[in-house]
């Protein structure tokens, strides 16, 4: 017998007892007996709902704890792709302006700025990529 079948059997026994009591006491107690039985049913439903809510809440907490432990990038592929496209589109007029004003040095400065902005974006979305882990490793070496 599963847990649900056992509860159904208990509820059936309660209903049988209520009906037997109604036969013995008569119709004048019918309303009180029905209310008493319905209160027991409500308590069982409330208990089952409470158990389910607690279980789901615990599962959500476990999922949140697992997700917080796994590092995730702070942006999506679409954001990275869009940033790259915008950088390339803006590189054309910036190269033209830099090259027109200061020839090759102006173009190099424009491209250095474009590369710098992209490096900052990569560093922001991928913490630990540019040697931050190495520093942590060095700190651990001092503790030994």
């Amino acid at each position: 017998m599963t847990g649900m079948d056992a509860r159904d059997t208990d509820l059936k026994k309660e209903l049988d007892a209520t009906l037997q009591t109604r036969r013995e006491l008569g119709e004048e107690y019918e309303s009180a007996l029905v209310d008493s039985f319905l209160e027991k049913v409500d308590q069982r439903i409330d208990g089952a709902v409470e158990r389910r809510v607690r279980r789901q809440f615990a599962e959500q907490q476990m999922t949140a704890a697992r997700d917080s432990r796994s590092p995730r990038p702070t942006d999506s592929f679409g954001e990275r792709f869009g940033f790259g496209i915008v950088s390339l589109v803006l590189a054309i007029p910036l190269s033209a302006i830099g090259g027109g004003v200061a020839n090759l040095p102006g173009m190099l400065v424009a491209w250095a700025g474009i590369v710098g902005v992209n490096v900052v974006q990569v560093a922001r979305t991928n913490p630990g990529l540019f040697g931050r882990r190495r520093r942590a490793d060095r700190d651990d070496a001092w503790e030994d």
Side-chain angles (χ1 to χ4, degrees), residues 4-69:
M4 192 61 164
D5 292 338
R7 282 180 265 174
D8 288 345
T9 303
D10 291 343
L11 198 56
K12 187 175 184 315
K13 287 179 185 177
E14 290 284 341
L15 179 59
D16 289 340
T18 301
L19 292 174
Q20 183 63 33
T21 305
R22 190 247 181 225
R23 283 187 209 110
E24 292 174 5
L25 295 177
E27 290 184 18
E28 60 269 5
Y29 292 102
E30 183 174 334
S31 177
L33 291 170
V34 168
D35 288 342
S36 174
F37 178 74
L38 289 178
E39 187 176 323
K40 290 176 185 177
V41 171
D42 282 343
Q43 289 172 354
R44 291 196 185 216
I45 291 172
D46 289 343
V49 168
E50 186 176 343
R51 282 189 299 276
R52 286 181 186 163
V53 168
R54 284 184 184 173
R55 184 174 50 240
Q56 287 177 350
F57 183 68
E59 289 172 359
Q60 287 174 352
Q61 285 181 328
M62 289 177 60
T63 302
R66 281 188 210 123
D67 290 345
S68 68
R69 281 187 266 147

Side-chain angles (χ1 to χ4, degrees), residues 61-132:
Q61 285 181 328
M62 289 177 60
T63 302
R66 281 188 210 123
D67 290 345
S68 68
R69 281 187 266 147
S70 61
R72 289 187 170 186
T74 57
D75 63 343
S76 67
F77 172 76
E79 183 179 343
R80 291 189 310 265
F81 184 73
F83 193 83
I85 295 295
V86 169
S87 293
L88 289 175
V89 167
L90 291 177
I92 296 168
L94 289 174
S95 298
I97 293 169
V101 172
N103 297 328
L104 183 62
M107 192 180 302
L108 291 176
V109 168
W111 275 95
I114 293 165
V115 169
V117 166
N118 281 284
V119 167
V120 168
Q121 173 69 6
V122 168
R124 183 185 71 82
T125 59
N126 297 311
L129 185 65
F130 293 107
R132 291 184 184 152

